[in-house]
Amino acid sequence: MIEGHPEMALLPDVRRPRERAMINLHVAAAERLSPSFVKVTLTGEALTRFRPSGPDQAFRMFFRRPGQQRLTMPTFANEAWMAQLIVQPTSRRPWVRMYTVRAIRPHLDELDVEIALHDGAHGPSPATAWALSTGPGDPVGIFDEGYTYQPPPATRRQLLVADESALPAVLAILERASPDLHAEVFLEVPDEADIRPDVTKPANTTVHWLPRNDPTLRPGTLALGTVRGARLSAPPEYAWVAGESALATGIRRHLVNDRRLPKSAVTFTGYWRHGHSAPG
């Protein structure tokens, strides 16, 4: 998910585990994947308390602000954690952002997260700056937030749409999909160099890459216009859409009103809002 916008603005039918824990980890490695993405690998024995679930499994990630000597995590492992965090002075309060599990290797106590780099009004946003500077040993905390990708059983024809904030989720969905999935996938990324040429996917899945190549173009606009005008190979039975909030709501409206897909067959999630930064 994109950094700087920790709330899922539109979060229908999220499925969370009954028991969750605040988990302390640390950075094992960081790798620049492309102009707009950094992969950070987290590790620690406490990762055994994190239960893998849906392919778009999300989590809160806590990391230090510049100048902080230690990471102060909330102690409440429920929805009260945010109130507990807000009352802390800025000198102790960590940054917190929402991300998707890109990959998890329980046998190695490792979890990968891909961070979409993002500039704010005054330069690199907090997690972008952190991702570009972090290294082995840096403390990180995580808190499970569940998943939303829940196609009905035996649903084979699907439509997946995302901007860069939801790219890691879609890649994870495709990697774990049934071999007989028939899907059309539209992925908007900031730059042509962000295209992944080696996507693991079912044989009958087609991926349409949509590089903006224009920093002035509002994220999600290209994907929304492309899907509206697309001639799909077959009507989808289920759609999963995530990214900038206008993209999520726009695609849902198009599918329901123009393509006559039942509302119940569309999962749409606004990961972030253009022009809005996260509270800190």
Side-chain angles (χ1 to χ4, degrees), residues 40-268:
V40 179
T41 298
L42 309 179
T43 190
E45 293 182 359
L47 193 59
T48 57
R49 303 173 68 191
F50 187 82
R51 305 299 182 195
S53 55
D56 68 318
Q57 186 174 10
F59 61 92
R60 304 279 177 169
M61 187 171 79
F62 303 83
F63 55 98
R64 291 180 299 181
R65 296 171 185 255
Q68 291 179 340
Q69 297 302 308
R70 62 188 298 268
L71 177 66
T72 304
M73 290 278 288
T75 57
F76 295 147
N78 53 39
E79 298 312 315
W81 70 264
M82 187 175 292
Q84 184 185 21
L85 198 72
I86 290 174
V87 299
Q88 292 183 5
T90 305
S91 60
R92 296 183 56 206
R93 188 192 316 158
W95 290 116
V96 54
R97 300 293 186 261
M98 185 94 85
Y99 287 106
T100 302
V101 175
R102 178 63 184 87
I104 187 167
R105 295 174 291 280
H107 62 292
L108 297 175
D109 290 333
E110 290 183 346
L111 182 153
D112 293 337
V113 55
E114 292 185 10
I115 296 176
L117 304 179
H118 171 69
D119 282 342
H122 304 289
S125 49
T128 292
W130 178 85
L132 292 173
S133 63
T134 193
D138 281 357
V140 175
I142 65 172
F143 183 60
D144 192 357
E145 287 288 1
Y147 62 97
T148 63
Y149 176 74
Q150 301 170 55
T155 301
R156 296 293 172 253
R157 297 194 308 275
Q158 297 182 22
L159 174 69
L160 308 177
V161 186
D163 64 13
E164 62 266 30
S165 67
L167 173 63
V170 171
L171 296 180
I173 288 170
L174 294 179
E175 287 178 357
R176 296 175 60 177
S178 169
D180 58 355
L181 174 68
H182 287 65
E184 291 210 45
V185 183
F186 294 84
L187 299 175
E188 181 180 323
V189 290
D191 190 273
E192 193 165 352
D194 295 316
I195 293 174
R196 311 287 177 91
D198 54 351
V199 173
T200 300
K201 61 181 179 62
N204 292 314
T205 291
T206 301
V207 177
H208 306 274
W209 288 98
L210 306 171
R212 290 194 297 274
N213 295 323
D214 180 358
T216 66
L217 186 63
R218 177 179 175 135
T221 302
L222 179 58
L224 178 57
T226 301
V227 173
R228 281 174 172 167
R231 182 173 295 178
L232 302 179
S233 58
E237 301 169 296
Y238 173 79
W240 185 91
V241 187
E244 202 281 326
S245 60
L247 169 65
T249 56
I251 292 291
R252 178 180 185 266
R253 189 176 301 114
H254 164 68
L255 293 175
V256 172
N257 295 340
D258 302 329
R259 297 189 187 261
R260 303 304 178 188
L261 194 63
K263 291 181 179 180
S264 60
V266 183
T267 297
F268 68 114

